[in-house]
């Protein structure tokens, strides 16, 4: 049994004020594999005080100093990549073959460093100086489905801006959160600049959301939890950045390469066992072409190799927990009961896997927009294929959702496809499976969130804007804010 008995506050590993622990369950073996310390609202208060004190000096550090700090973090992180890979396989079931989960964070750190190197913290607007200054103490609440990368993106942009941090990872991924704290400790992040308090959302998360000395809160998780965070933060009028749920649609136009669209949709939707907020979990296909795409969908879904995530041959591990396993199966059951047609997958456990939270890659056709699997975020390896009559109906179905995180378009005519992409109400749109770019912003429309992470927009989430007048001569030496 692995032990993570401490919180990380003010540059030191420390015991919680009241000793409490939580057992982490390995989703492959359905048995505990680690114990982590649980903090309380009182521990959150200690961490905020440490971050507030450290902000006085850290906020005045030079860009060069912060670049050097990020370089140290990158070096230490890369020495622990294999440790992270093995740990997240045990705690959340992510296969070690999924290297993007552990190599991606280093790439995001490099991007943040390069943006910081070029970012104009002072600029001219008319005869005034416009300054961007660190917002203050930031509470960062990260999820379990990208347990390292999401936390790293939040932390590294906060540090790049000159902010100090109190981090609270999901309890499902608290062990990898502790390892990330160890990385920052080894990189000699100054005391109080980074703090880690594991704990339950209703206690530690709520305390941070309400705390008068927290200036900004960044939360990634479900829309329901995000609403609670936003409501709690409103009492002290702190800035809120929320990346929440999604039910992304992939519109496959009639002139698309149907095989390419189908195989890509399965690969992207079922990546990470479908536990991705950007997953294209609704595939919209012209009514005359549904029968043509079904064989490709079924074949690609059946190519997944389910099993122990510590086995390099495994391409899909278990879902994260018993609760998630039940929720996904309940959604599959609703799809069957509401008239969906199973192409592949279903409720039964995969062959040869009689324990562990494994869900078969599942594809439904015959789905209508009012069905539960077409409206709710399943957060598992379940794809709903919906027919459409014409382009207007496709856009209506895609946009008829409280979510607006991602969107996808496949087609042959680029001008036509771009027009359709422009009609999607979502924060990130990809054409013909184009990869995303770490320099570009990520975030959602509607109930998929507020604000943006990553790139220049992500850095600016952690900055306040100040206008300074009366220094006309000094302003002339600065770059203009608008071209």
């Amino acid at each position: 049994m692995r032990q993570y008995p401490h919180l990380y506050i003010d540059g030191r590993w420390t015991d919680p004020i009241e000793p409490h622990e939580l057992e982490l369950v390995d989703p492959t073996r359905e048995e505990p594999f680690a114990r982590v310390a649980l903090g309380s609202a009182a521990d959150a208060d200690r961490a905020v005080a440490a971050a507030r004190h450290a902000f006085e000096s850290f906020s005045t550090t030079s860009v060069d100093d912060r670049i050097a700090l990020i370089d140290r973090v990158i070096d230490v992180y890369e020495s622990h990549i294999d440790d992270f890979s093995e740990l997240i396989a045990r705690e959340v079931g992510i296969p070690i073959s999924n290297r993007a989960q552990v190599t991606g964070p280093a790439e995001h750190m490099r991007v943040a460093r390069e943006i910081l190197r070029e970012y104009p913290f002072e600029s001219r607007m008319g005869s005034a100086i416009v300054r961007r200054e660190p917002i203050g103490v930031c509470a960062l609440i990260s999820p379990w489905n990208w347990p390292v990368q999401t936390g790293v993106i939040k932390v590294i942009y906060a540090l790049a801006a000159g902010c100090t941090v109190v981090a609270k990872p999901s309890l499902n991924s608290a062990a990898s959160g502790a390892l990330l704290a160890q990385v920052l400790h080894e990189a000699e992040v100054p005391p109080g600049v980074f703090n880690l308090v594991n704990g339950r959302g209703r206690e530690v998360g709520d305390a941070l959301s309400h705390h008068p000395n927290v200036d900004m809160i960044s939360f990634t998780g479900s829309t329901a939890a995000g609403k609670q965070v936003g409501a709690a933060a409103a009492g002290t009028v702190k800035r809120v950045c929320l990346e929440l749920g999604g039910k992304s649609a992939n519109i496959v136009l009639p002139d698309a390469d149907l095989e390419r669209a189908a195989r890509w949709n399965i690969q992207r939707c079922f990546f990470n066992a479908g536990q991705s907020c950007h997953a294209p979990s609704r595939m919209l296909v012209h009514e005359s072409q549904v029968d043509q795409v079904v064989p490709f969908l079924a074949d690609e879904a059946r190519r997944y190799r389910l099993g122990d995530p510590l086995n390099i041959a495994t391409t899909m591990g278990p879902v994260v927990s018993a609760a998630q396993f039940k929720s996904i199966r309940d959604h599959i059951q609703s799809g069957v009961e509401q008239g969906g047609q199973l192409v592949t997958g279903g409720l039964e456990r995969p062959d040869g896997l009689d324990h562990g939270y494994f869900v078969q890659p599942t594809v439904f056709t015959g789905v209508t927009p009012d069905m539960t699997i077409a409206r709710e975020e399943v957060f598992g390896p379940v794809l709903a294929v919906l027919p459409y009559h014409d382009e207007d109906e496709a856009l209506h179905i895609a946009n008829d959702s409280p979510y607006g995180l991602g969107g996808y378009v496949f087609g042959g005519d680029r001008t036509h496809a771009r027009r359709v992409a422009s009609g999607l109400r979502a924060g990130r749109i990809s054409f013909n499976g184009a990869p995303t770019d770490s320099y570009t912003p990520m975030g959602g429309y509607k109930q998929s969130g507020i604000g943006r992470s990553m790139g220049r927009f992500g850095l600016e989430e952690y900055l306040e804007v100040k206008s300074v007048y009366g220094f006309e001569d000094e302003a002339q030496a600065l770059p203009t804010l608008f071209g």
Side-chain angles (χ1 to χ4, degrees), residues 158-464:
L159 298 186
C163 295
T164 56
V165 165
V166 179
K168 192 203 89 63
S170 166
L171 286 182
N172 285 325
S173 55
S176 57
L179 182 54
L180 180 58
Q182 180 63 35
V183 166
L184 294 165
H185 180 74
E186 292 177 17
E188 299 180 350
V189 173
V193 171
F194 173 85
N195 306 273
L196 176 82
V197 181
N198 286 320
R200 302 188 188 282
R202 63 177 178 267
E203 186 166 3
V204 173
D206 190 62
L208 292 172
S209 301
H210 281 98
H211 206 291
N213 287 325
V214 170
D215 301 290
M216 183 262 200
I217 186 159
S218 176
F219 171 86
T220 301
S222 71
T223 294
K227 290 177 180 179
Q228 295 175 345
V229 168
T236 49
V237 199
K238 58 173 56 69
R239 184 179 298 175
V240 176
C241 182
L242 305 174
E243 186 198 339
L244 307 176
K247 190 67 179 175
S248 301
N250 178 19
I251 297 178
V252 181
L253 298 172
D255 63 345
D257 181 330
L258 297 182
E259 179 175 1
R260 180 183 175 195
R263 293 191 185 280
W264 179 91
N265 203 120
I266 289 291
Q267 294 163 12
R268 182 64 183 87
C269 184
F270 293 171
F271 182 80
N272 214 38
Q275 298 168 126
S276 173
C277 48
H278 280 86
S281 55
R282 293 183 294 157
M283 185 176 178
L284 278 57
V285 181
H286 191 270
E287 59 191 9
S288 68
Q289 296 176 318
V290 173
D291 289 344
Q292 296 177 56
V293 303
V294 166
F296 301 128
L297 295 171
D299 179 67
E300 195 65 30
R302 291 167 185 155
R303 294 186 180 203
Y304 281 93
R305 298 185 297 275
L306 278 70
D308 189 336
L310 290 170
N311 185 335
I312 194 65
T314 295
T315 57
M316 184 182 291
V319 299
V320 68
S321 66
Q324 189 70 10
F325 180 68
K326 180 180 184 305
S327 175
I328 296 167
R329 286 166 55 86
D330 286 348
H331 278 94
I332 293 172
Q333 182 66 43
S334 78
V336 172
E337 291 175 352
Q338 293 173 16
Q341 299 160 20
L342 272 173
V343 171
T344 188
L347 289 167
E348 297 79 12
R349 285 181 176 272
D351 290 343
L353 295 171
D354 56 1
H355 65 276
Y357 307 130
F358 291 95
V359 178
Q360 290 191 69
T362 298
V363 177
F364 281 97
T365 58
V367 178
T368 57
D370 60 326
M371 289 184 184
T372 302
I373 57 171
R375 302 205 64 81
E376 294 185 1
E377 185 177 34
V378 178
F379 224 61
V382 180
L383 172 65
V385 181
L386 294 89
Y388 67 85
H389 177 68
D390 56 26
E391 179 182 313
D392 288 342
E393 184 183 33
L395 282 169
H396 174 75
I397 293 170
N399 291 330
D400 183 24
S401 170
Y403 301 113
L405 195 57
Y408 307 88
V409 179
F410 272 79
D413 185 320
R414 298 176 65 87
T415 301
H416 180 203
R418 187 175 179 187
R419 184 172 70 247
V420 174
S422 297
L424 285 168
R425 298 282 296 167
R428 273 190 160 190
I429 311 298
S430 175
F431 171 55
N432 281 350
T436 57
D437 185 332
S438 299
Y439 281 87
T440 58
M442 182 172 71
Y445 286 28
K446 299 182 281 187
Q447 293 187 35
S448 283
I450 298 170
R452 295 294 183 267
S453 68
M454 296 168 44
R456 177 174 178 145
F457 287 83
L459 177 64
E460 290 179 347
E461 288 291 336
Y462 298 93
L463 297 171
E464 276 287 16

